Amino acid sequence: MELKKEAAKKAVELIKENTSVGIGAGTTMIHIAKLVAAKIQAGFVVDLYTPSKEILEVLNAEKISVNEISGKAVIDQYFDGCDQVDRELNAIKSGGGIHTIEKLFASMAKEFVIVGDESKYVEVLNNKFPIVIEVLPEALHFVTGGIQRIFEESTLELRTKNEITTLTEHGNYLVDIWFKNMPPLHTINSILKSIAGVVETSFFYHLADKAVLAGPDGIRLIKQYDL
């Protein structure tokens, strides 16, 4: 059983016709994009948006039109994966490096749904994955120095590939923050974003409304209002 695909199938069942839907990045989102494309080709009507170039390519290959998010203030649903999600649906997204635009989508959505396999779930978030920040290049040393003073036992790594600094689509840097111990969750975003030069963090605190998680025993649907 391909758990990510099973989770994607369940997630797509949540989509209602004549709504606006965002699809995030990652392998599970590829499954969702292909499933939604098949429904549209069969006559289902939905307006699609995505922060991901990869998902855009998948939908374009299926000849499915994708709208520009800059023309919207609100969308009905947004689906995305994560590296880790806890029992309160707080999530860490550290892999793709497009968390700033993904968080915009999540914030715009009336309903934000995390989708993935059960391995992403933990009762309490831990330091297995870094919190990633997008940083203005001019502010790199100011930001990293400030974080190091506040979180003395943290380790900071400028993200690179083949010894070349990784740049976001907006020309900014990505810095991975590895905490020795996770700070109180409600403080992470407020502290990091209070430092001038930090654009956004990859910590999605109290943003998700639901999580669709697939495991060997079936699908688990967690709803924020059930907590």
Side-chain angles (χ1 to χ4, degrees):
M1 182 189 298
E2 192 173 353
L3 296 180
K4 290 182 178 180
K5 189 170 184 178
E6 293 304 309
K9 288 179 181 177
K10 182 63 177 180
V12 170
E13 291 177 7
L14 302 176
I15 300 175
K16 297 179 181 179
E17 196 163 18
N18 295 311
T19 58
S20 51
V21 175
I23 303 175
T27 53
T28 305
M29 296 304 107
I30 291 175
H31 290 308
I32 288 181
K34 290 180 177 180
L35 290 167
V36 172
K39 286 173 67 75
I40 292 173
Q41 289 162 350
F44 192 76
V45 178
V46 65
D47 291 329
L48 294 183
Y49 302 82
T50 183
S52 167
K53 288 183 177 180
E54 183 180 31
I55 297 302
L56 180 62
E57 290 174 0
V58 169
L59 293 169
N60 284 343
E62 299 291 338
K63 297 184 173 16
I64 302 298
S65 62
V66 180
N67 301 284
E68 288 287 340
I69 197 65
S70 58
K72 297 286 286 186
V74 177
I75 56 176
D76 293 303
Q77 287 177 304
Y78 177 55
F79 298 88
D80 209 344
C82 67
D83 293 300
Q84 197 174 74
V85 59
D86 71 9
R87 62 189 177 195
E88 295 184 354
L89 302 186
N90 299 307
I92 296 174
K93 292 180 57 65
S94 57
I98 61 169
H99 57 264
T100 296
I101 187 69
E102 289 174 322
K103 190 177 280 190
L104 173 64
F105 271 70
S107 300
M108 291 173 66
K110 295 177 183 177
E111 181 178 73
F112 171 32
V113 184
I114 293 171
V115 188
D117 62 79
E118 251 183 16
S119 69
K120 308 296 184 183
Y121 180 81
V122 292
E123 282 291 305
V124 179
L125 292 179
N126 54 52
N127 58 1
K128 181 179 179 181
F129 298 95
I131 300 294
V132 188
I133 53 174
E134 182 170 350
V135 179
L136 298 176
E138 299 87 346
L140 177 64
H141 295 294
F142 174 75
V143 167
T144 55
I147 293 172
Q148 205 75 73
R149 285 191 296 273
I150 298 168
F151 302 105
E152 295 180 357
E153 296 184 327
S154 62
T155 300
L156 279 64
E157 298 176 358
L158 177 65
R159 189 171 292 190
T160 61
K161 186 175 182 180
N162 299 324
E163 299 184 355
I164 298 174
T165 301
T166 300
L167 297 179
T168 69
E169 289 185 12
H170 295 93
N172 297 321
Y173 294 161
L174 295 169
V175 176
D176 295 338
I177 306 171
W178 296 91
F179 293 108
K180 184 175 181 180
N181 297 294
M182 286 293 283
L185 299 185
H186 70 279
T187 68
I188 293 175
N189 283 332
S190 58
I191 291 175
L192 294 177
K193 293 181 69 175
S194 70
I195 302 172
V198 174
V199 179
E200 190 53 86
T201 85
S202 69
F203 181 41
F204 286 54
Y205 180 71
H206 284 184
L207 277 176
D209 300 285
K210 295 177 182 176
V212 177
L213 304 172
D217 298 325
I219 301 292
R220 181 181 180 187
L221 178 63
I222 306 173
K223 300 177 182 179
Q224 183 64 249
Y225 50 78
D226 288 341
L227 299 175

